[in-house]
Amino acid sequence: MLAFLGANGILFSNALHLPWAGPARLILGGFLGPLAASLSAVVLLHRAGSLPAGVALFTAVSAVPAWALAALAAASLSVRFDEADMNRGFSWFGSSMLLFMILGLIAGTVSLAVPFGTLLAGRRSLAVRALQAVLVAAPTALALGALMLMPPMAGTLGAVALLVLALQKGRPAPSEAAVPAHPRQVPAPNRITVAGAALALFLVGLACAVFAVTGSNWTPNVTDSTHAMNLGLAYGAFAGIPVLVLAGLVLGRRLGPTTPWVVLLGCAAMAVQGFAQLLGAGHPSQWPATVVAAALMGFAIALPLGRLVTSGGFGRIAVVVLMGLAASTVGLPLVTMSAFLAPLGSAALLLWSWKTGNTRQPRLGS
């Protein structure tokens, strides 16, 4: 997770323009992060009894050259783009992308075929199992290599999933003494109130989204489509704040005692994003404010996952902070598209009100 977070930090900051940033991001997000994630997955499968020790060791060792070749293929592609921009011909390294890709695919297939062959073990013959393992391992290796070429957001979420699985493996079984005799009951909100508020918020959010797309065509004071988009996104983000409050009231019984903090962080993210859009496109503070909004939304997403952490004190805080930073990769598209997502959230709350009403409606006997 730290490797992927480092790659994301370079990608989302001004450091991306520095000469060392490209190689550092590739090493962190294209080699160290995927390799550590592979080792974590192998350890989890081995401890779960799915992979024997020998197979796990082979998979772990063979993952090193597989990811190294994949990283070389990505580096060769980057060098080829730079050389094409300079129009000075291609070096041997810039022309070797396909070679590194083929070698990486072969190494990845070999690395994955052995554990897949173990997982597919049954009454089939060795030749059939080997063929099946290769047919499954080859496209899997190709898909993992393609994910590595993308921004390190998918890898960050995969690291979060591995961390959650590892924490669940070490979590003790719940005892009856740990269950409170009288659990705190959170009253459900009134269905009619939720439906009315959701309908009003849906109309407001829809108006903001329409203004963001078409406001420059029919508003005399806004002649620039970029300005209209900024204003629509800003007011749409502000309109998403009551949607989050209403969703917190509805989901309070499921999220537990962290619900107020989750709603507070989400509302703060929407407020920061709204002010960022009001600054206008090209303002030097707009992108940093958007990154801050994404981080706040990431912590809102990660905070309920803190109950999965068995350690106390500093350990729990450190893991939740890492999860929050990792979830910022999800928070970024959420805050940037909040003006268009808020009407969808209001529609979901309307649907909840309708389904709740139908569930509670008494049925007449025949």
Side-chain angles (χ1 to χ4, degrees):
M1 187 181 293
L2 289 174
F4 285 121
L5 287 177
N8 282 322
I10 295 174
L11 180 64
F12 296 146
S13 66
N14 293 330
L16 185 62
H17 303 290
L18 298 177
W20 55 265
R25 186 172 70 88
L26 181 60
I27 293 173
L28 290 173
F31 178 66
L32 293 180
L35 178 60
S38 301
L39 297 179
S40 299
V42 168
V43 171
L44 288 174
L45 289 173
H46 172 60
R47 296 192 63 179
S50 300
L51 291 182
V55 175
L57 179 60
F58 173 82
T59 307
V61 173
S62 60
V64 178
W67 283 118
L69 289 168
L72 287 174
S76 176
L77 179 63
S78 177
V79 170
R80 186 176 181 87
F81 274 117
D82 294 338
E83 292 174 345
D85 292 336
M86 293 185 294
N87 198 19
R88 296 180 182 177
F90 299 108
S91 64
W92 70 269
F93 187 77
S95 304
S96 303
M97 186 265 294
L98 184 60
L99 174 62
F100 290 133
M101 184 180 297
I102 293 175
L103 293 177
L105 178 61
I106 294 174
T109 301
V110 172
S111 178
L112 292 174
V114 174
F116 280 153
T118 302
L119 296 175
L120 295 173
R123 297 182 179 180
R124 305 177 185 88
S125 63
L126 178 61
V128 174
R129 292 205 315 269
L131 179 60
Q132 288 178 334
V134 171
L135 291 178
V136 175
T140 303
L142 184 61
L144 292 175
L147 285 175
M148 188 269 291
L149 293 175
M150 299 180 183
M153 298 180 183
T156 308
L157 298 180
V160 172
L162 288 170
L163 181 59
V164 171
L165 289 175
L167 294 172
Q168 285 295 300
K169 290 294 182 182
R171 190 177 188 183
S175 60
E176 295 183 0
V179 180
H182 301 285
R184 179 174 175 263
Q185 296 292 334
V186 179
N190 183 272
R191 180 181 64 86
I192 303 299
T193 304
V194 172
L199 179 60
L201 292 172
F202 174 78
L203 295 177
V204 173
L206 187 62
C208 294
V210 171
F211 182 88
V213 178
T214 65
S216 60
N217 297 328
W218 48 272
T219 305
N221 295 330
V222 181
T223 58
D224 183 31
S225 59
T226 303
H227 187 205
M229 177 64 72
N230 287 141
L231 290 178
L233 293 179
Y235 296 136
F238 292 142
I241 293 177
V243 176
L244 290 177
V245 174
L246 198 61
L249 294 176
V250 172
L251 300 175
R253 290 187 294 179
R254 294 187 179 182
L255 295 180
T258 61
T259 302
W261 296 104
V262 172
V263 173
L264 181 62
L265 288 170
C267 292
M270 293 293 96
V272 173
Q273 175 62 11
F275 285 116
Q277 292 299 327
L278 287 178
L279 293 175
H283 195 281
S285 299
Q286 187 187 51
W287 176 247
T290 300
V291 173
V292 171
L296 290 171
M297 185 60 72
F299 281 105
I301 296 172
L303 193 58
L305 299 177
R307 55 189 173 186
L308 300 177
V309 183
T310 56
S311 60
F314 178 77
R316 179 186 295 269
I317 295 175
V319 172
V320 171
V321 168
L322 286 177
M323 285 185 174
L325 293 174
S328 301
T329 59
V330 179
L332 183 62
L334 288 179
V335 296
T336 54
M337 298 297 294
S338 57
F340 302 100
L341 296 177
L344 297 179
S346 302
L349 291 171
L350 273 173
L351 180 61
W352 174 88
S353 302
W354 178 76
K355 291 183 64 176
T356 304
N358 287 345
T359 302
R360 295 179 180 177
Q361 183 178 3
R363 297 181 179 179
L364 297 179
S366 58

